[in-house]
Amino acid sequence: MTRNPEALPGFAEKLVAWFQRHGRRYPWRETTDPWAILVSEVMLQQTTIPTALGRYGEWMRRFPTPAALANAGEQEALRSWEGLGYYRRVRALQAAARAVAERHGGNFPREEETLRALPGVGEYTAAAVLSFAYNTPATLIDANVARVLARIYNDATPIDTTEGKRTLRRRAEALLHRDNPRAYNSALMELGQTCCTPGTPNCRDCPVRDYCRAKEPAALPVKKRERTISALERWDIWRLTEEGLLLELQPPEARHAGMYRLPQRPREAVEALPHICDQTYSITRYRVTRHLHRALKPLPPRETEQIIPVSRLEELPLASPDRKLIRSLLAQEPPGQTR
Ligand code: SF4
C-alpha cells in the first residue's frame, strides 16, 4: 500500500496521550448519549464554552431526552434558550427531537445519512454525533481545527476557498485516529483552543511541535474574506400602562419567530416622541443601535402587538437585548408609576 505523503505517523497517538493528561472535562465529553452530544453541538455552534457550560446542565435536566423537548411547547423551548441567541438553533433542535420521536420511535439514528436527514443537522453536526457518541471515524473541521492544520502543514492557502477547504478535508482524513476518533477529535479541538490559539500560539508547550512545519504560525491561517460588521439602527416604542407593556409577537417568517420584542416603528413616526435611551448590541454581523422613545398615548393597534401584564414578562421568550432593557427600565419605572 502506498503511504499517504500527508500522514504524520504517531501524530494522533501523541495528541490523544496529551489530551488524556491535560484535556478539560466538560459534561458533553463525559457522555456518549447522542442526544446530549447533539444538544451540546447545537449550543456550542455560536456560543462560547463558558456560556454553554452555564446553561447546558440546566437544559439537559429540563429536556433529558428528545421526547421531553418534542413534547414541550415552542415558547417553553424558546424561553429555555433565552440568552444563548440564534434562536433558529433551538427551533431546529426541537424539530429534530420531534423527528427522532416520530420517525425513529425515540431511538437516535446511528447512520450519517439518517442523522443528516434530521432538521438542523448538517455535515459537521452529524460527524460530531457519529464521532463523540458512537466513536465512528469521522473528521471534524471547525475554526480551531482549521487553524491547527494550516499551521502543522505551513499552508497559506486561504481556508475559506474551495481549494483550501478541500485541502483541509484531505489532511484531516490523513491525520484522523481511526481507532479512537472520539478522543482524537476532542484532542485536536482542545489543542486549537488552549495551545495553538489565534494570534501567537504557545508552541513551547505544544505536544505535536515536532510535527509542525509552521514558520510564522501567527500569520496562519489565511482567509480570503474577512468578516465585515455593518451598523444598523432601529427605532422602538416604550408604551407602559397600568395594564402592562406593549410588545410585539414576531411573526413566523421573522428571524425571532415566536418571541416577543419591543414594538418597532419607522424613524419619522417616533422621532418627535420623548427619547428614553439608546442601546447598542451586536447580532450576527450587525452592530445595532436601538433608539427607544416613549409613547404617551395609545398607538394605532397592530395585530401582532398587545399589552402584556408585567407579571407575565418573565415567562415569555424575549431576545436578550430586549430582556435586559425591559428589566432595567422596569426597575427604574415600575408600572404603578407609569407616565
Ligand atoms: S507547534 Fe505551535 S503552531 Fe504548531 S501546532 Fe503546535 S502550537 Fe500550533
Side-chain angles (χ1 to χ4, degrees), residues 35 38-39 59 63 65-72 90-108 118-119 121:
W35 170 243
L38 177 65
V39 170
W59 175 275
F63 305 113
T65 59
L69 184 60
N71 294 330
V90 67
R91 278 192 208 93
L93 194 56
Q94 189 168 42
R98 288 180 176 155
V100 170
E102 287 158 18
R103 289 185 218 155
H104 306 289
N107 299 313
F108 221 88
L118 296 176
V121 178

Side-chain angles (χ1 to χ4, degrees), residues 217-271:
L220 294 171
V222 172
K223 280 192 192 165
K224 192 174 162 210
R225 281 179 294 275
E226 288 302 335
R227 206 166 184 234
T228 52
I229 302 291
S230 309
L232 202 68
E233 284 185 284
R234 50 180 283 184
W235 283 264
D236 285 0
I237 290 291
W238 179 258
R239 171 86 183 135
L240 180 66
T241 71
E242 296 289 337
E243 287 74 44
L245 182 65
L246 186 70
L247 291 180
E248 181 188 356
L249 178 61
Q250 306 278 289
E253 66 280 8
R255 171 188 186 82
H256 287 160
M259 300 183 74
Y260 288 84
R261 72 172 184 195
L262 289 165
Q264 208 172 350
R265 291 289 185 276
R267 177 180 188 162
E268 48 291 358
V270 299
E271 258 184 342

Side-chain angles (χ1 to χ4, degrees), residues 147-148 151-152 191 195-197 201-204 206-210 212-214 217:
R147 183 171 58 255
V148 173
R151 287 171 174 176
I152 292 278
L191 185 72
C195 198
C196 195
T197 49
N202 177 10
C203 300
R204 204 192 61 179
C206 177
V208 289
R209 63 179 178 274
D210 292 348
C212 185
R213 300 171 193 162

Side-chain angles (χ1 to χ4, degrees), residues 8-295:
L8 302 175
F11 173 93
E13 290 75 10
K14 201 155 192 176
L15 189 59
V16 168
W18 166 81
F19 177 69
Q20 281 161 349
R21 275 199 310 278
H22 301 287
R24 292 166 298 178
R25 298 171 77 95
Y26 297 132
W28 48 85
R29 285 182 177 166
E30 309 283 315
T31 178
T32 55
D33 172 4
W35 170 243
I37 303 289
L38 177 65
V39 170
S40 70
E41 286 301 324
V42 172
M43 205 174 264
L44 287 163
Q45 273 165 18
Q46 275 111 354
T47 301
T48 62
I49 290 176
T51 304
L53 275 175
R55 301 293 300 278
Y56 180 75
E58 178 199 340
W59 175 275
M60 288 307 298
R61 277 189 293 282
R62 191 160 186 178
F63 305 113
T65 59
L69 184 60
N71 294 330
E74 189 197 24
Q75 292 215 332
E76 185 188 352
L78 288 169
R79 180 69 184 92
S80 304
W81 199 261
E82 210 179 286
L84 294 168
Y86 295 88
Y87 291 88
R88 64 185 156 70
R89 291 182 295 166
V90 67
R91 278 192 208 93
L93 194 56
Q94 189 168 42
R98 288 180 176 155
V100 170
E102 287 158 18
R103 289 185 218 155
H104 306 289
N107 299 313
F108 221 88
R110 293 183 75 103
E111 301 75 34
E112 183 185 358
E113 201 183 324
T114 331
L115 277 167
R116 289 193 62 178
L118 296 176
V121 178
E123 184 183 2
Y124 179 91
T125 308
V129 173
L130 288 171
S131 155
F132 297 136
Y134 305 124
N135 208 24
T136 303
T139 52
L140 292 180
I141 304 174
D142 67 356
N144 288 305
V145 171
R147 183 171 58 255
V148 173
L149 293 180
R151 287 171 174 176
I152 292 278
Y153 290 95
N154 195 32
D155 193 340
T157 309
I159 56 169
D160 52 351
T161 58
T162 309
E163 190 198 341
K165 288 178 191 168
R166 199 182 305 128
T167 304
L168 283 174
R169 167 82 42 213
R170 195 180 64 240
R171 289 173 173 162
E173 291 280 347
L175 294 186
L176 180 65
H177 193 319
R178 291 181 185 274
D179 296 334
N180 198 354
R182 177 185 290 136
Y184 171 78
N185 280 328
S186 290
L188 197 54
M189 286 178 189
E190 183 82 354
L191 185 72
Q193 289 160 2
T194 63
C195 198
C196 195
T197 49
T200 306
N202 177 10
C203 300
R204 204 192 61 179
D205 294 331
C206 177
V208 289
R209 63 179 178 274
D210 292 348
Y211 295 89
C212 185
R213 300 171 193 162
K215 302 273 186 292
E216 279 185 66
L220 294 171
V222 172
K223 280 192 192 165
K224 192 174 162 210
R225 281 179 294 275
E226 288 302 335
R227 206 166 184 234
T228 52
I229 302 291
S230 309
L232 202 68
E233 284 185 284
R234 50 180 283 184
W235 283 264
D236 285 0
I237 290 291
W238 179 258
R239 171 86 183 135
L240 180 66
T241 71
E242 296 289 337
E243 287 74 44
L245 182 65
L246 186 70
L247 291 180
E248 181 188 356
L249 178 61
Q250 306 278 289
E253 66 280 8
R255 171 188 186 82
H256 287 160
M259 300 183 74
Y260 288 84
R261 72 172 184 195
L262 289 165
Q264 208 172 350
R265 291 289 185 276
R267 177 180 188 162
E268 48 291 358
V270 299
E271 258 184 342
L273 299 175
H275 176 249
I276 299 177
C277 62
D278 289 341
Q279 181 192 30
T280 51
Y281 55 92
S282 297
I283 182 161
T284 59
R285 56 182 193 85
Y286 297 102
R287 185 75 185 147
V288 182
T289 303
R290 182 209 307 260
H291 308 283
L292 190 66
H293 291 257
R294 184 187 302 280

Side-chain angles (χ1 to χ4, degrees), residues 288-331:
V288 182
T289 303
R290 182 209 307 260
H291 308 283
L292 190 66
H293 291 257
R294 184 187 302 280
L296 298 167
K297 296 184 194 147
L299 300 163
R302 284 187 174 179
E303 222 173 76
T304 50
E305 293 176 359
Q306 56 179 310
I307 294 277
I308 305 283
V310 169
S311 60
R312 281 199 57 217
L313 291 179
E314 286 298 317
E315 73 197 52
L316 297 180
L318 285 165
S320 290
D322 291 65
R323 174 78 68 203
K324 204 169 154 193
L325 185 57
I326 290 170
R327 278 184 181 158
S328 152
L329 289 174
L330 285 176

